[in-house]
Amino acid sequence: MEFTKHVRVREEKFGSVIFETLKEKVFVTNETGSSILRLLKEGKSPEEIISILDELYDSEPQKVVRDEVTDFISSLRENNLLE
Amino acid sequence: MEMERLPGDDFEDFSSPLFIAWQMNAECNLGCLHCCEEAGHSLPDEMSREEIFNFCEGIRNLNIPYMAISGGEPLLHPEFFPVCEYIREGNISLKVETNGEFVDKKVAERIAGLEFRSVQISLDGATAPVHEKLRIRGDWEKVMQATRDLVGGGVNTEIVFVPTKLNIHEVGPVIDLAYSLGVYGVYTGKIMRIGRAAKNWSLLCPSPEEYEKFFTILDEKVKQYDGKMKVYYYPYDVIEELKYRLEYPSASLLVLPNGKVKLIGPLPFICGDVRKQSLEEIWERYKEAWRKPEVIEYTKKVIDDHSLLANANRWIELY
């Protein structure tokens, strides 16, 4: 999965900022969102991301991590931020 | 109800600007009656090639996502293409604002190769006499050809229309023309009372009735071209923009041809100089400057007395 052509992502102290420069829309995420974005940039699939974050946040049940990652990626797609 | 403030809601949350608007030069072949920058001749102290590339290196290093280059007429600047190449190599999204008079097939091909976010062309009339009445020494036919060359070359092309008393009646036909040319979008909004526009205000400023009709036509065109071409208008005038920005400054810097950095176009305040300070330092100054009592008080004065907008280009150094 790749970001759409005019999308730029930058990490910030609070998480990340996603700038869709064609529509000139700015989105912000928290640190978890930032981790997902970083892994997407590295070319990881949703399943791989779920697995990595599941290990990272081992206090959370896997279903919670799965739902969060799935919702986040759906939201990126809905806003045409992901191909 | 008090809303919770979320990280990223405020410009101060960002580590550096999200957007740089750079007026690359002041030189322009035209003498538009409504030019906000009073462009024409070069400033005596414009940035050298080395200073320009130092500035652009700073933009790349800070991972600033988006930049707009305007002028003057930026295509007249000898470093225009080298700068655009350097910016695009840094994967920064780039928009260029031009009068279109120096775009031919060859230039359009070169621009296409650099994959700009867009090229915005100023078109102020659906007919040559109207466009050229406002854009002194302008050539409507050249703008038409430039648009065709850009669109034909696969460049994401946008039209910018500034309404004045002299051309507001052509907004509908301009949008129709833009669609026939195959552009991505048309952008418009109320004329700003800055620069040469302020000097020619009585000649240019549309009446409330003219604006009412203008926005009605725009609403119709938004619906007509929905899904086919973006028709976007900024509904606020410069005073409404200032009221908003006083509370919510944008995460952007406006850089002038001599490297000085303005807080915002309609205010005269300068918060830094890219030749003398790093962009990080200027960003900190910018954030601080918006909270300075002299900036807040002056902005409130401008909001009360719109004629003060005419002083926007008489710079006041804050540091």
Side-chain angles (χ1 to χ4, degrees), chain A residues 5-17 19-24 26-30 41, chain B residues 7-8 13-18 62-66 88 91-93 95 115-117 156 184 187 230:
Chain A
K5 189 177 174 185
H6 300 285
V7 168
R8 299 292 179 274
V9 178
R10 189 173 77 191
E11 294 199 10
E12 297 285 341
K13 273 184 191 160
F14 57 81
S16 280
V17 56
F19 201 156
E20 207 292 277
T21 63
L22 185 60
K23 293 188 178 124
E24 300 187 335
V26 173
F27 304 83
V28 290
T29 75
N30 58 15
K41 256 189 188 175
Chain B
D13 294 333
F14 296 104
S15 56
S16 65
L18 296 177
L62 287 181
N63 195 12
I64 293 172
Y66 186 22
R88 290 296 298 127
N91 197 28
I92 294 157
S93 203
K95 168 168 79 174
E115 297 191 57
F116 291 178
R117 176 262 185 204
N156 197 39
Y184 169 77
Y187 293 77
K230 187 175 178 184

